[in-house]
Amino acid sequence: MMQNKILIANRGEIALRIIRACKELGIGCVAIYSNSDENSLHVKFADEAICVGPAHASESYLNMNNIISAAVSTGCNAIHPGYGFLAENDKFATIVEKCNLKFIGPTSDAMAKLGNKSMARRIAKEVDIPIVEGSDGPVEDLAAAITVAKHIGYPILIKAVSGGGGKGISIIKNEEELVRLFDLTRHEAEANFGNSQVYIEKYIENPRHIEVQIIADAYGNMVHLGERDCSIQRRNQKMIEEAPSPFVNEKLRGMLGAAAVRLARAVGYQNIGTVEFLVDKDGNYYFMEVNARIQVEHPVTEMVTGVDLVKEQIRIAYRSELPFRQEDVNLSGHALECRLNAEDPSLNFRPAPGLIRNVVLPGGPGVRLDTHIYNNYEVPPYYDSLLVKLITYAPTRKETIRKMRVALEQLIVDGVKTNIEILYLIMHNTNFVRGVYDTGFVRDFLETIKGE
Ligand code: ADP
Ligand code: ADP
Ligand code: MG
């Protein structure tokens, strides 16, 4: 029988995370890399590594032909896409399937349905999941946009149907702004995501971002693994995440979980995924989007459930049955994740690549680090600026925060500018500590410290 072997179509910390899962499962793994990543740890730690092109992602980590060739020529029978890059590209998933390789993720069909954010809204509505008021499908021109906006009232958001990573979202406060920004937003969507389609949503003031992890095998077993609160965001991009959410009670957890599973069932979802919701002060929830892939913040769910999500993704792709049922899922303890990025807070968080001279990593019980950096590692300017995911886990939220404070004090990354101080200050903020926060928290917080 052919030996299982996986090509990892990614880089950075998530490539390392997947390599570890492969090794623990006794499955072979092949790394891919660009010219600027030759000295990366994922290249060193994989069983084999193959260069797929120049530094720019469009020519390497997004180069479907080279990636498929790399998989075939090294005898892989599956591809793990990680997050970002090709992870939610249904065209890529289709090609992978056509080449008789397993795509470690949902089927291309389910991905096509949910990857389009506007179509996903429609499916959610069909299965009675509340959605944010907005356009019924994509909005084709300015006149249509004005009509929708008049109907729901300002402020509104224009969102790229293929957007992601907090990009492709514009807030519009009045008709004049809509006239000025509609075509611009479409052009930006085309340039960034290769799809100019946009849709409109009512802008909800200071909601919480609460998302549900789901997991489903090829035999119709579908389970949710509780929620993550990702409301600590800067410009719609997550910065700190936690599980469980300090805002969610048993009843709301049950409702969100049931809604997430219902949506997944509607498209015959397989593998793991995340259903994102906005939740208002009164606990009303609205479907936002599905991330049909492993997420950056998956470790917090792993800590509180004891489920290794990446190993399960691989087992499911090789057609193992889910080893637990909904009633077997127990949430225990509390987990926090801080994203340490190479960015300069004094220059509006501009990415700050460069040479990392010295790294000291914290440890101890309940401290987890997912990172690809090391002494004298050069952070390339071409990719995402995530350096370290620092995760802490303890029986209570309070202890988890204390652990995070200590871990941040003992985390040293010299040579590049990072957001570490902001993370540290948030861990000491009274409202954060009380669990009283929403997606407006970081904006307000930065205003306060600017004044000091
Ligand atoms: P998560 O939902 O897992 O927190 P993020 O939103 O932080 O994920 O995105 C993870 C990575 O994937 C980032 O590098 C982000 O820029 C990238 N990404 C996510 N969605 C898209 C997309 N549709 N197009 C391009 N890049 C994306
Ligand atoms: P992405 O694909 O980039 O993750 P999302 O649709 O998930 O985009 O939105 C990213 C973030 O933008 C959310 O977590 C939330 O903070 C904010 N957001 C999105 N839609 C709305 C909305 N209708 N009202 C208020 N905030 C929103
Ligand atoms: Mg999102």
Side-chain angles (χ1 to χ4, degrees), residues 117 164-166 209 211 233 236 238 276 288-289 291 293 295:
K117 293 164 85 169
H209 170 121
E211 58 183 38
Q233 310 180 343
N236 305 324
K238 299 160 189 167
E276 297 188 335
M288 188 160 50
E289 65 154 344
N291 290 147
R293 56 172 164 88
Q295 270 186 293

Side-chain angles (χ1 to χ4, degrees), residues 11 33-37 52-64 66-67 85 380-383:
R11 64 180 301 283
Y33 63 98
S34 72
N35 285 341
S36 68
D37 272 345
V52 290
H56 280 284
S58 58
E59 298 179 83
S60 48
Y61 296 106
L62 292 170
N63 187 329
M64 299 192 209
N66 286 6
I67 293 171
F85 298 124
Y382 308 101
Y383 319 107

Side-chain angles (χ1 to χ4, degrees), residues 267-283:
V267 297
Y269 200 89
Q270 281 178 39
N271 214 275
I272 70 168
T274 298
V275 184
E276 297 188 335
F277 297 94
L278 291 176
V279 181
D280 70 18
K281 284 179 223 36
D282 306 318

Side-chain angles (χ1 to χ4, degrees), residues 131-433:
I131 57 174
V132 183
E133 211 185 340
S135 59
D136 193 12
V139 181
E140 301 303 341
D141 56 33
L142 180 62
I146 291 175
T147 308
V148 175
K150 274 213 175 97
H151 180 68
I152 63 178
Y154 294 92
I156 57 158
L157 292 179
I158 308 180
K159 296 170 95 172
V161 304
S162 305
K167 298 180 189 79
I169 300 177
S170 308
I171 176 162
I172 305 287
K173 295 194 204 73
N174 50 50
E175 191 168 313
E176 185 259 318
E177 284 187 4
L178 183 56
V179 172
R180 191 153 49 83
L181 295 172
F182 184 75
D183 283 326
L184 194 71
T185 307
R186 279 173 60 94
H187 286 137
E188 275 175 11
E190 176 67 44
N192 289 316
F193 310 108
N195 181 351
S196 66
Q197 284 195 324
V198 297
Y199 64 106
I200 287 176
E201 263 180 19
K202 173 97 191 146
Y203 177 70
I204 298 182
E205 297 284 343
N206 301 338
R208 289 185 87 118
H209 170 121
I210 293 170
E211 58 183 38
V212 176
Q213 179 70 55
I214 53 165
I215 181 165
D217 64 16
Y219 311 97
N221 299 302
M222 222 170 260
V223 167
H224 75 84
L225 296 173
E227 80 286 355
R228 295 183 283 260
D229 198 316
C230 311
S231 306
I232 305 291
Q233 310 180 343
R234 188 186 152 266
R235 300 214 168 159
N236 305 324
Q237 172 69 311
K238 299 160 189 167
M239 197 162 152
I240 297 170
E241 302 95 347
E242 64 180 307
S245 166
F247 183 79
V248 173
N249 56 28
E250 262 324 304
K251 187 172 165 227
L252 183 55
R253 179 169 301 122
M255 288 198 296
L256 293 174
V261 168
R262 208 156 67 237
L263 182 64
R265 268 200 207 292
V267 297
Y269 200 89
Q270 281 178 39
N271 214 275
I272 70 168
T274 298
V275 184
E276 297 188 335
F277 297 94
L278 291 176
V279 181
D280 70 18
K281 284 179 223 36
D282 306 318
N284 300 307
Y285 63 92
Y286 306 92
F287 166 77
M288 188 160 50
E289 65 154 344
V290 175
N291 290 147
R293 56 172 164 88
I294 187 84
Q295 270 186 293
V296 176
E297 61 274 22
H298 74 275
V300 293
T301 298
E302 296 188 320
M303 303 315 274
V304 299
T305 59
V307 174
D308 184 319
L309 287 168
V310 179
K311 277 197 210 164
E312 288 306 333
Q313 280 195 288
I314 295 171
R315 288 201 192 102
I316 288 168
Y318 286 117
R319 303 191 75 78
S320 284
E321 201 176 322
L322 210 56
F324 49 81
R325 296 286 173 269
Q326 191 66 60
E327 57 273 22
D328 303 322
V329 176
N330 285 308
L331 302 182
S332 134
H334 201 94
L336 264 171
E337 175 184 274
C338 284
R339 298 191 191 190
L340 185 86
N341 300 319
E343 59 191 16
D344 187 348
S346 70
L347 291 175
N348 203 18
F349 294 84
R350 183 167 90 182
L355 181 68
I356 295 179
R357 292 183 191 287
N358 186 35
V359 180
V360 178
L361 301 175
V367 177
R368 169 175 170 182
L369 280 145
D370 282 20
T371 182
H372 57 292
I373 66 170
Y374 55 86
N375 286 345
N376 297 317
Y377 171 70
E378 174 97 33
V379 181
Y382 308 101
Y383 319 107
D384 175 303
S385 57
L386 181 67
L387 295 181
V388 179
K389 300 192 314 202
L390 176 56
I391 300 113
T392 57
Y393 174 69
T396 66
R397 184 169 187 270
K398 209 171 196 163
E399 289 165 275
T400 306
I401 293 174
R402 285 177 173 275
K403 230 181 237 300
M404 185 61 83
R405 291 175 183 169
V406 176
L408 284 167
E409 279 166 14
Q410 299 181 355
L411 171 60
I412 299 169
V413 177
D414 277 342
V416 297
K417 296 255 168 41
T418 74
N419 59 333
I420 191 162
E421 212 177 300
I422 309 286
L423 298 170
Y424 189 76
L425 291 174
I426 293 177
M427 286 302 136
H428 291 79
N429 176 276
T430 315
N431 286 333
F432 178 77
V433 171

Side-chain angles (χ1 to χ4, degrees), residues 79-100:
I79 296 186
H80 195 309
Y83 56 68
F85 298 124
L86 296 169
E88 291 178 278
N89 187 313
D90 60 286
K91 193 173 140 215
F92 180 65
T94 306
I95 298 172
V96 173
E97 288 163 2
K98 283 211 173 110
C99 293
N100 260 327

